Amino acid sequence: MSDKVAIVTGAGQGIGEAIAKRLAKDGFKVGLVGRHVEKVDAVAESINAEFGADTAFAVKGDVSKRDEVFTAVEKISDKFGDLNVIVNNAGVAPTTPIMEVTEDDMEWTWKINVDGVIWGTQAAVTAFKKFNHGGKIINATSQAGVQGNPSLTVYGSTKFAIRGITQTTAKELAASNITVNAYAPGIVKTPMMMDIAHEVGQNAGKDDEWGMAQFAKGIALGKLSEPEDVASVASFLAGPDSNYITGQTIIVDGGMVFN
Ligand SMILES: NC(=O)c1ccc[n+]([C@@H]2O[C@H](COP(=O)([O-])OP(=O)(O)OC[C@H]3O[C@@H](n4cnc5c(N)ncnc54)[C@H](O)[C@@H]3O)[C@@H](O)[C@H]2O)c1
Ligand SMILES: CC(=O)[C@H](C)O
């Protein structure tokens, strides 16, 4: 059981929702941050119904905007009186065949996926120091940040970048008793992945199932993961058993953990 406080960004659906629910089950107070406040409110309500009122608290915030991230972290840490873990989960994944990449694709995707990790890290470290203790930073990369995926150059470049940020910040923050790690899911059944499968299928004149198969066959087990599989790794990284692990990326593929 934990009496600690965690924040999860992009917690309105998919992997972020699963992580928020798992950390609540682990005993955390959970702050949920999302662009669409009605979605994170709904997840917070379901968590409070299951784990007790005031377990979860939702705040609107766009992770690409530094001020909104700091405001969200301040609101949540003020509400619960502490902060111990942040999960920089929010992300977007446009399908971008290399010859179709635009400047907007690059700016939009990097501002959310990469800037969002930087702002979440800065805001969390600011809170850890305010409460005079260390903490844990957990970033969302991807198998697409470990191996190149065709049609995902822009997205994949952000996920490779997040692995690098995880390593650099882990070294910078170790002296402050702050660990930084990342989870790298394989192919997980979420709206993001369904959208990619649809786009890839459409681009090839095929159906969504064909599009999904283009990714699953490239993954070690060729199996799809559930958001809860990823949440189990986030639970480990948020808990005390991972206190001496930092700068690492844990691959979650087909419901199994690889490294
Ligand atoms: N689904 C997969 O197969 C898969 C695999 C590997 C990695 N990932 C990563 O896991 C994370 C979650 O993915 P998912 O599949 O649950 O995605 P999803 O699209 O289903 O959910 C992402 C959530 O993030 C939110 N979000 C997007 N931009 C935001 C912003 N600017 N500010 C705040 N919230 C924002 C969305 O509203 C959504 O609720 C992402 O970082 C993704 O790159 C997903
Ligand atoms: C294709 C993939 O790995 C996800 C979206 O990160």
Side-chain angles (χ1 to χ4, degrees), residues 80-125:
F80 291 127
D82 204 351
L83 180 66
N84 306 95
V85 177
I86 190 166
V87 182
N88 292 310
N89 169 78
V92 290
T95 300
T96 57
I98 184 59
M99 295 312 289
E100 297 174 19
V101 174
T102 66
E103 289 178 273
D104 285 347
D105 288 332
M106 292 297 290
E107 182 176 1
W108 179 68
T109 312
W110 274 76
K111 280 184 73 67
I112 293 171
N113 293 5
V114 179
D115 297 12
V117 168
I118 300 289
W119 308 145
T121 297
Q122 289 183 340
V125 172

Coordinates of all heavy atoms in Angstrom, one line a residue, residues 80-125:
F80 N -3.4 17.6 -2.7 CA -3.1 16.4 -1.9 C -2.0 16.7 -0.9 O -1.6 15.8 -0.1 CB -2.7 15.2 -2.8 CG -3.8 14.7 -3.6 CD1 -3.7 14.6 -5.0 CD2 -5.0 14.2 -3.0 CE1 -4.7 14.0 -5.8 CE2 -6.0 13.7 -3.8 CZ -5.9 13.6 -5.1
G81 N -1.4 17.8 -0.9 CA -0.3 18.2 0.0 C 1.0 17.5 -0.2 O 1.8 17.4 0.7
D82 N 1.2 17.0 -1.4 CA 2.5 16.3 -1.7 C 2.5 15.9 -3.1 O 1.5 16.0 -3.8 CB 2.7 15.0 -0.8 CG 4.1 14.7 -0.6 OD1 5.0 15.3 -1.3 OD2 4.4 13.8 0.2
L83 N 3.7 15.5 -3.6 CA 3.8 14.8 -4.9 C 5.1 13.9 -4.9 O 6.1 14.4 -4.4 CB 4.0 15.8 -6.1 CG 4.2 15.2 -7.4 CD1 2.9 14.5 -7.8 CD2 4.5 16.2 -8.5
N84 N 4.9 12.7 -5.3 CA 6.0 11.7 -5.3 C 6.3 11.1 -6.6 O 7.5 10.7 -6.8 CB 5.6 10.6 -4.3 CG 5.2 11.1 -2.9 OD1 4.1 11.3 -2.7 ND2 6.2 11.4 -2.1
V85 N 5.4 11.1 -7.5 CA 5.6 10.4 -8.8 C 4.8 11.2 -9.9 O 3.7 11.7 -9.7 CB 5.0 9.0 -8.8 CG1 5.1 8.3 -10.2 CG2 5.6 8.1 -7.7
I86 N 5.5 11.4 -11.1 CA 4.8 11.9 -12.2 C 4.9 10.9 -13.4 O 6.0 10.3 -13.6 CB 5.2 13.3 -12.7 CG1 4.2 13.8 -13.8 CG2 6.6 13.3 -13.2 CD1 4.4 15.3 -14.0
V87 N 3.9 10.6 -14.1 CA 3.9 9.7 -15.3 C 3.6 10.6 -16.5 O 2.5 11.0 -16.7 CB 2.9 8.5 -15.2 CG1 3.0 7.6 -16.4 CG2 3.1 7.7 -13.9
N88 N 4.7 10.9 -17.2 CA 4.5 11.7 -18.5 C 4.0 10.8 -19.6 O 4.8 10.3 -20.4 CB 5.9 12.3 -18.8 CG 6.3 13.4 -17.8 OD1 5.5 14.3 -17.4 ND2 7.5 13.3 -17.3
N89 N 2.8 10.5 -19.6 CA 2.1 9.6 -20.5 C 1.6 10.2 -21.8 O 1.5 9.5 -22.8 CB 1.1 8.8 -19.7 CG 0.2 7.9 -20.6 OD1 0.6 6.9 -21.1 ND2 -1.0 8.4 -20.9
A90 N 1.1 11.4 -21.7 CA 0.3 12.0 -22.8 C 1.2 12.0 -24.1 O 2.4 12.2 -24.0 CB -0.1 13.5 -22.5
G91 N 0.5 11.7 -25.2 CA 1.2 11.7 -26.5 C 0.3 11.6 -27.6 O -0.9 11.2 -27.5
V92 N 0.8 11.9 -28.8 CA 0.0 11.8 -30.0 C 0.9 11.0 -31.1 O 2.1 11.0 -31.0 CB -0.4 13.2 -30.6 CG1 -1.4 13.8 -29.7 CG2 0.8 14.1 -30.8
A93 N 0.3 10.4 -32.0 CA 1.0 9.5 -32.9 C 0.5 9.6 -34.4 O -0.3 8.8 -34.8 CB 0.9 8.1 -32.5
P94 N 0.8 10.7 -35.0 CA 0.4 10.9 -36.4 C 1.1 9.8 -37.3 O 2.2 9.4 -37.0 CB 0.8 12.3 -36.8 CG 2.0 12.6 -35.9 CD 1.7 11.9 -34.6
T95 N 0.4 9.4 -38.3 CA 1.0 8.5 -39.3 C 1.6 9.4 -40.4 O 0.9 10.1 -41.1 CB 0.0 7.5 -39.9 OG1 -0.6 6.7 -38.8 CG2 0.6 6.6 -41.0
T96 N 2.9 9.3 -40.6 CA 3.6 10.3 -41.5 C 4.6 9.6 -42.4 O 5.8 9.6 -42.1 CB 4.3 11.3 -40.6 OG1 5.3 10.6 -39.8 CG2 3.4 12.1 -39.8
P97 N 4.2 9.0 -43.5 CA 5.2 8.5 -44.5 C 6.2 9.6 -44.8 O 5.8 10.8 -44.9 CB 4.3 8.2 -45.7 CG 3.0 7.9 -45.2 CD 2.8 8.8 -44.0
I98 N 7.4 9.3 -44.9 CA 8.5 10.3 -44.9 C 8.3 11.4 -45.9 O 8.5 12.6 -45.6 CB 9.9 9.7 -45.1 CG1 11.0 10.7 -44.9 CG2 10.0 8.9 -46.4 CD1 11.0 11.5 -43.6
M99 N 7.8 11.1 -47.1 CA 7.6 12.2 -48.1 C 6.4 13.0 -47.9 O 6.2 14.0 -48.6 CB 7.6 11.5 -49.5 CG 8.9 10.9 -49.9 SD 10.4 11.9 -49.5 CE 10.2 13.1 -50.8
E100 N 5.6 12.7 -46.8 CA 4.4 13.5 -46.5 C 4.6 14.3 -45.3 O 3.7 15.0 -44.8 CB 3.2 12.6 -46.4 CG 2.9 11.8 -47.7 CD 1.8 10.8 -47.6 OE1 1.0 10.9 -46.5 OE2 1.7 9.9 -48.4
V101 N 5.8 14.2 -44.6 CA 6.0 15.0 -43.4 C 5.9 16.5 -43.6 O 6.5 17.0 -44.6 CB 7.3 14.6 -42.7 CG1 7.6 15.4 -41.5 CG2 7.3 13.1 -42.3
T102 N 5.2 17.2 -42.7 CA 5.1 18.6 -42.9 C 5.7 19.3 -41.6 O 5.9 18.7 -40.6 CB 3.6 19.1 -42.9 OG1 3.0 18.8 -41.6 CG2 2.9 18.4 -44.0
E103 N 5.9 20.6 -41.7 CA 6.5 21.4 -40.6 C 5.5 21.3 -39.4 O 5.9 21.2 -38.3 CB 6.7 22.8 -41.0 CG 7.9 23.0 -41.9 CD 8.1 24.4 -42.4 OE1 7.5 24.8 -43.4 OE2 8.9 25.1 -41.7
D104 N 4.2 21.4 -39.7 CA 3.2 21.3 -38.7 C 3.2 19.9 -38.0 O 3.1 19.8 -36.7 CB 1.8 21.5 -39.3 CG 1.5 22.9 -39.6 OD1 2.3 23.8 -39.2 OD2 0.5 23.2 -40.3
D105 N 3.4 18.8 -38.8 CA 3.6 17.5 -38.1 C 4.7 17.5 -37.1 O 4.5 17.1 -36.0 CB 3.9 16.4 -39.2 CG 2.7 16.1 -40.2 OD1 1.6 16.2 -39.7 OD2 3.0 15.7 -41.3
M106 N 5.8 18.1 -37.5 CA 7.0 18.1 -36.6 C 6.7 18.9 -35.4 O 6.9 18.4 -34.3 CB 8.2 18.6 -37.4 CG 8.7 17.7 -38.5 SD 9.3 16.1 -37.9 CE 10.8 16.6 -37.0
E107 N 6.2 20.1 -35.6 CA 6.0 21.0 -34.5 C 5.0 20.5 -33.5 O 5.2 20.4 -32.3 CB 5.6 22.4 -34.9 CG 5.5 23.4 -33.8 CD 5.1 24.8 -34.2 OE1 5.0 25.0 -35.4 OE2 5.0 25.7 -33.3
W108 N 3.8 20.0 -34.0 CA 2.7 19.6 -33.2 C 3.2 18.3 -32.4 O 3.0 18.3 -31.2 CB 1.5 19.2 -34.1 CG 0.3 18.7 -33.4 CD1 -0.5 19.4 -32.5 CD2 -0.3 17.4 -33.5 NE1 -1.5 18.6 -32.1 CE2 -1.4 17.4 -32.6 CE3 0.1 16.2 -34.2 CZ2 -2.2 16.3 -32.5 CZ3 -0.7 15.1 -34.0 CH2 -1.9 15.1 -33.2
T109 N 3.8 17.4 -33.0 CA 4.1 16.1 -32.4 C 5.2 16.3 -31.3 O 5.2 15.8 -30.2 CB 4.5 15.1 -33.4 OG1 3.6 15.1 -34.5 CG2 4.6 13.7 -32.8
W110 N 6.2 17.1 -31.7 CA 7.3 17.3 -30.8 C 6.9 18.1 -29.6 O 7.3 17.9 -28.4 CB 8.5 17.9 -31.5 CG 9.4 16.9 -32.2 CD1 9.1 16.2 -33.3 CD2 10.7 16.4 -31.7 NE1 10.2 15.3 -33.6 CE2 11.1 15.4 -32.6 CE3 11.4 16.7 -30.5 CZ2 12.3 14.7 -32.4 CZ3 12.6 16.0 -30.4 CH2 13.0 15.0 -31.3
K111 N 6.0 19.1 -29.8 CA 5.6 20.0 -28.7 C 4.8 19.2 -27.7 O 5.0 19.4 -26.5 CB 4.8 21.2 -29.2 CG 5.6 22.3 -29.8 CD 4.7 23.5 -30.2 CE 4.2 24.2 -29.0 NZ 5.2 24.9 -28.2
I112 N 4.1 18.2 -28.1 CA 3.3 17.4 -27.2 C 4.2 16.3 -26.6 O 4.3 16.2 -25.4 CB 2.1 16.8 -27.9 CG1 1.1 17.9 -28.3 CG2 1.4 15.7 -27.0 CD1 -0.1 17.4 -29.1
N113 N 4.8 15.5 -27.5 CA 5.4 14.3 -27.0 C 6.8 14.6 -26.2 O 7.1 13.9 -25.3 CB 5.7 13.3 -28.2 CG 4.5 12.8 -28.8 OD1 3.4 13.1 -28.4 ND2 4.6 11.9 -29.7
V114 N 7.5 15.5 -26.7 CA 8.8 15.8 -26.2 C 8.8 17.0 -25.2 O 9.2 16.8 -24.1 CB 9.9 16.0 -27.3 CG1 11.3 16.3 -26.7 CG2 9.9 14.8 -28.2
D115 N 8.3 18.1 -25.7 CA 8.2 19.3 -24.8 C 7.4 18.9 -23.5 O 7.7 19.2 -22.4 CB 7.6 20.5 -25.4 CG 8.3 21.0 -26.6 OD1 9.3 20.3 -27.1 OD2 8.0 22.1 -27.2
G116 N 6.3 18.1 -23.8 CA 5.5 17.7 -22.6 C 6.2 16.9 -21.6 O 6.0 17.1 -20.4
V117 N 7.2 16.1 -22.0 CA 8.0 15.4 -21.0 C 8.9 16.3 -20.3 O 9.1 16.2 -19.1 CB 8.8 14.2 -21.7 CG1 9.9 13.7 -20.8 CG2 7.9 13.1 -22.2
I118 N 9.5 17.3 -21.0 CA 10.4 18.2 -20.4 C 9.6 19.1 -19.3 O 10.1 19.2 -18.2 CB 11.0 19.2 -21.4 CG1 11.8 18.4 -22.5 CG2 11.8 20.3 -20.7 CD1 13.1 17.8 -22.0
W119 N 8.5 19.6 -19.7 CA 7.7 20.5 -18.8 C 7.2 19.6 -17.6 O 7.2 20.1 -16.5 CB 6.5 21.1 -19.5 CG 6.9 21.9 -20.7 CD1 6.1 22.0 -21.8 CD2 8.0 22.6 -21.1 NE1 6.7 22.8 -22.8 CE2 7.9 23.1 -22.4 CE3 9.2 22.9 -20.4 CZ2 8.9 23.9 -23.0 CZ3 10.2 23.6 -21.0 CH2 10.0 24.1 -22.3
G120 N 6.8 18.4 -17.9 CA 6.3 17.5 -16.7 C 7.5 17.2 -15.8 O 7.3 17.2 -14.6
T121 N 8.7 17.0 -16.3 CA 9.8 16.8 -15.5 C 10.2 18.0 -14.7 O 10.3 17.9 -13.4 CB 11.0 16.4 -16.4 OG1 10.7 15.2 -17.1 CG2 12.3 16.3 -15.6
Q122 N 10.2 19.2 -15.3 CA 10.5 20.4 -14.6 C 9.5 20.7 -13.5 O 9.8 21.0 -12.3 CB 10.5 21.6 -15.5 CG 11.7 21.7 -16.5 CD 11.7 22.9 -17.3 OE1 10.6 23.6 -17.5 NE2 12.8 23.3 -17.9
A123 N 8.2 20.5 -13.8 CA 7.2 20.8 -12.8 C 7.2 19.8 -11.6 O 7.1 20.2 -10.5 CB 5.8 20.8 -13.5
A124 N 7.5 18.6 -11.9 CA 7.6 17.6 -10.9 C 8.8 17.8 -10.0 O 8.7 17.8 -8.7 CB 7.6 16.2 -11.5
V125 N 9.9 18.1 -10.6 CA 11.1 18.3 -9.8 C 10.9 19.6 -8.9 O 11.3 19.6 -7.7 CB 12.4 18.5 -10.7 CG1 13.6 19.0 -9.9 CG2 12.7 17.2 -11.4

